Amino acid sequence: MRLDPQRTLLALGCRVAAARGLADGILGHLSLRVGEDQLLIRCRSDTDTGLAFTRPSDIRLIGLDGTASAAGELDGYRVPNELPIHVETMLADPRRRAVAHLHPPAVVAADLAGIEFRPIYGAYDIPGAVLARGGVPVFERAVLIRSSQLGRDMVAAMGSAPVVICRGHGITSAAGSVQQAVLHAISLDSLARMSLQVMAAGGALREIAETDWNELPDLGSDFNIEAAWRHEVARLGTQLS
């Protein structure tokens, strides 16, 4: 099972996340469920040069138990230590087919500063405002999530939200597609940056008026996902190899 288009998509997702400053160095990993008991995931090798330089060949097919799903899939590669993040998030909700675990500094800093993520803006980023309106849960343990139990604990904190902040660690974003999982993470990072800027300027974080929601329509996936994703890929300015 080659799954070349899916491997390329995940590699692009890794590069987009790194280009947006959502992960540094070799930190972070993305995955995509491709069967009942299989997923593609960004793995590491002894020649790894970091998330920003992810190649389709770095995306490997494994089972939910972390073993190779085909001959040669893990030759020279290792699954992430935090594989339980991906497996437990997917098992908790079959609609979560893509998972992004990233380390955006602004989100970590804002959470550590005690900032509660709320919709402080509207048309500036409607998907981000909607994300914040539902509340952004926090998993309060600053640990590597290396066991199934810790993965389930994180998922319990996440609830039905599309993203969860892992305090002192990073975030996990889950969606039906790689594009949406990464775009959720970008929106959360933008909200964190804006919140920190407002606080640094001596301002207060105030939610938009309830009546404003009537004028913040859902512009649809053609705009919110497809068009946004084309931009993210185009701004990389590089070709996968």
Side-chain angles (χ1 to χ4, degrees), residues 11-25:
L12 279 171
C14 290
R15 291 192 177 200
V16 166
R20 280 290 191 170
L22 304 184
D24 191 24

Side-chain angles (χ1 to χ4, degrees), residues 144-164:
L144 283 177
I145 303 173
R146 298 183 294 173
S147 70
S148 295
Q149 185 58 59
L150 283 171
R152 288 191 291 270
D153 291 345
M154 185 210 72
V155 171
M158 188 176 192
S160 61
V163 295
V164 61

Side-chain angles (χ1 to χ4, degrees), residues 89-198:
T89 300
M90 291 173 178
L91 289 177
D93 187 340
R95 295 170 297 179
R96 294 171 172 171
R97 303 199 65 82
V99 176
H101 176 64
L102 303 165
H103 292 193
V107 177
V108 175
D111 175 62
L112 291 176
I115 292 174
E116 181 180 357
F117 289 76
R118 301 301 301 161
I120 59 173
Y121 49 60
Y124 177 82
D125 176 13
I126 296 176
V130 172
L131 187 73
R133 190 185 193 189
V136 182
V138 178
F139 176 53
E140 297 187 357
R141 299 196 64 188
V143 297
L144 283 177
I145 303 173
R146 298 183 294 173
S147 70
S148 295
Q149 185 58 59
L150 283 171
R152 288 191 291 270
D153 291 345
M154 185 210 72
V155 171
M158 188 176 192
S160 61
V163 295
V164 61
I165 297 169
C166 301
R167 178 153 291 158
H169 181 176
I171 68 169
T172 297
S173 173
S177 69
V178 171
Q179 297 93 322
Q180 193 164 24
V182 175
L183 291 171
H184 280 327
I186 291 172
S187 283
L188 185 62
D189 183 65
S190 295
L191 182 61
R193 291 173 182 272
M194 184 69 76
S195 297
L196 288 168
Q197 289 171 5
V198 170

